[in-house]
């Protein structure tokens, strides 16, 4: 899947690219990070993030420009009632790589995930929250491994213990508990051996756009992983620690959103696993 995105020699072997290292002052890049020969789409969505949106756009632009020559940042305003959209459109005037879209009303993370994926145009797709809740330095350093694996999956290491849940998994113990329960439920019911289902993932655009996403809740992120796993994709897990929010308010663990996600987990488990109503039945692999 990935290999088809990159130039091949007549005999079918991969073209060798010279190693070029990133030169940047970005704090989101580690020494030794390589530039990549493919294009990148970074996706994000915002609900009343006027305090964060300008910094997010500038930070993303610096990161992407250091990694590749061809990139885009897709941002969806999810029905904001503050100045989020106004600030973003002001930034867009001098940033042709910034693509802005606005929902007619607040739709939630699952809808935004699906919409942003459908709008992406570059070789590889990944997302980052507007409050930059994930430390993606090691993920950026691992992008060159997409020459040999299909998907890079970020994982929060050692966060399913009581202390890890409180300190490292989310903004507070309540959100950490919600996150751990969500992880355990998906892992138990769907039996896909990944160490995180709600994190930053890098997909080949052609692969992720080829699957039909059926949920529109916080379960949509795990659904992406499940359906690419059933396509037989190969995965490489990379440490991506959680970073606690410094400003603004998180909206992902409101009771209504939690109930919608639990409903989708159980409903689609019955449909896909119990009744077997899914198209793809392959098995992916996690590579070390």
């Amino acid at each position: 899947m990935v290999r088809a995105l990159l130039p091949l020699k007549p005999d079918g072997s991969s073209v060798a690219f010279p190693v070029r290292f990133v030169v940047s002052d970005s704090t989101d890049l580690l020494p030794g990070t390589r530039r990549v020969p493919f294009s990148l789409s970074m996706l994000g969505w915002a609900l009343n993030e006027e305090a964060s949106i300008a910094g997010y756009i500038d930070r993303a632009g610096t990161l992407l420009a250091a990694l590749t020559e061809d990139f885009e940042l897709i941002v969806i305003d999810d029905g904001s009632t503050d100045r989020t959209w106004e600030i973003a459109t002001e930034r867009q005037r001098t940033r042709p790589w910034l693509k802005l879209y606005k929902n007619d009303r607040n739709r939630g993370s699952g809808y935004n995930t699906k919409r942003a994926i459908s709008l992406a145009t570059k070789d590889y797709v990944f997302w980052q929250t507007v409050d930059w809740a994930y430390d993606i330095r090691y993920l950026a350093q691992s992008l060159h491994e997409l020459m040999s694996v299909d998907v890079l999956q970020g994982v929060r290491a050692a966060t399913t213990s009581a202390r890890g849940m409180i300190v490292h998994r989310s903004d507070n113990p309540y959100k950490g508990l919600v996150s751990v329960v969500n992880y355990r439920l998906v892992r138990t019911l769907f039996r896909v051996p990944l160490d995180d289902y709600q994190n930053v993932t890098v997909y080949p655009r052609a692969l992720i756009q080829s699957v039909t996403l059926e949920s529109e809740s916080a379960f949509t992120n795990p659904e992406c992983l499940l359906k690419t796993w059933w396509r037989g994709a190969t995965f490489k897990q990379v440490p991506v620690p959680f970073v606690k929010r410094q400003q603004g308010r998180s909206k992902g663990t409101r009771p209504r959103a939690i109930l919608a996600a639990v409903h989708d987990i159980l409903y689609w488990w019955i449909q896909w696993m119990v009744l077997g109503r899914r198209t793809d039945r392959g098995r992916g692999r996690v590579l070390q």
Side-chain angles (χ1 to χ4, degrees):
M1 285 168 275
V2 152
R3 272 64 72 188
L5 296 175
L6 301 173
L8 300 176
K9 296 178 182 178
D11 63 1
S13 60
S14 299
V15 174
F17 289 93
V19 176
R20 298 169 59 197
F21 293 101
V22 165
V23 178
S24 174
D25 295 329
S26 172
T27 57
D28 297 304
L29 294 165
L30 295 169
T33 299
R34 305 181 191 180
R35 284 179 65 83
V36 293
F38 44 79
S39 57
L40 294 169
S41 294
M42 180 169 161
L43 318 177
W45 32 95
L47 173 61
N48 295 332
E49 293 284 2
E50 63 181 10
S52 305
I53 191 65
Y56 173 77
I57 291 169
D58 292 344
R59 190 172 180 179
T62 299
L63 170 71
L64 291 166
L67 289 170
T68 182
E69 296 177 359
D70 187 6
F71 63 90
E72 64 185 1
L73 173 63
I74 294 173
V75 176
I76 298 175
D77 185 314
D78 192 24
S80 297
T81 57
D82 63 1
R83 295 184 64 248
T84 297
W85 180 253
E86 179 183 344
I87 294 168
T89 53
E90 288 173 0
R91 282 286 194 279
Q92 189 181 39
R93 292 171 187 161
T94 56
R95 295 164 177 81
W97 41 264
L98 175 59
K99 314 290 178 64
L100 299 178
Y101 301 89
K102 190 176 180 67
N103 290 338
D104 57 343
R105 58 183 173 83
N106 177 227
R107 296 277 192 163
S109 63
Y111 178 90
N112 290 318
T113 300
K114 292 169 65 172
R115 187 179 185 195
I117 287 172
S118 71
L119 293 166
T121 65
K122 304 305 179 182
D123 295 332
Y124 287 88
V125 170
F126 71 102
W127 45 82
Q128 171 68 298
T129 59
V130 170
D131 60 330
W132 216 271
Y134 294 96
D135 180 354
I136 57 174
R137 292 177 298 166
Y138 294 101
L139 192 75
Q141 192 178 50
S142 301
L143 285 175
H144 67 279
E145 297 195 47
L146 289 166
M147 301 293 216
S148 56
V149 301
D150 294 320
V151 178
L152 292 180
Q153 172 61 16
V155 298
R156 290 164 286 189
T159 60
T160 55
S161 66
R163 175 174 172 76
M165 175 185 71
I166 295 171
V167 177
H168 300 300
R169 194 167 185 91
S170 196
D171 289 310
N172 57 53
Y174 164 69
K175 293 179 181 178
L177 177 61
V178 169
S179 180
V180 169
V181 170
N182 177 278
Y183 168 76
R184 291 296 185 188
L185 192 57
V186 173
R187 179 70 181 255
T188 300
L189 294 179
F190 295 96
R191 301 189 296 277
V192 170
L194 296 172
D195 294 330
D196 212 334
Y197 301 107
Q198 298 284 4
N199 206 300
V200 183
T201 310
V202 187
Y203 294 101
R205 177 182 57 82
L207 171 62
I208 193 60
Q209 287 183 346
S210 72
V211 302
T212 300
L213 297 175
E214 299 170 89
S215 65
E216 285 192 3
S217 68
F219 178 62
T220 305
N221 199 332
E223 182 187 358
C224 292
L225 293 167
L226 295 173
K227 290 191 170 177
T228 51
W229 178 270
W230 292 331
R231 284 284 178 93
T234 54
F235 290 73
K236 170 81 173 182
Q237 299 195 114
V238 181
V240 176
F242 180 81
V243 181
K244 294 189 177 184
R245 179 181 274 265
Q246 300 300 310
Q247 56 188 356
R249 294 179 58 191
S250 173
K251 295 90 176 174
T253 51
R254 292 173 294 185
R256 188 166 153 188
I258 294 170
L259 289 174
V262 171
H263 170 272
D264 276 353
I265 291 171
L266 297 176
Y267 177 80
W268 292 112
W269 171 68
I270 293 172
Q271 295 297 311
W272 298 334
M273 306 301 289
V274 177
L275 301 179
R277 294 173 181 170
R278 67 176 196 258
T279 304
D280 300 306
R281 297 176 178 275
R283 181 177 176 83
R285 289 183 299 146
V286 178
L287 304 181
Q288 299 303 317

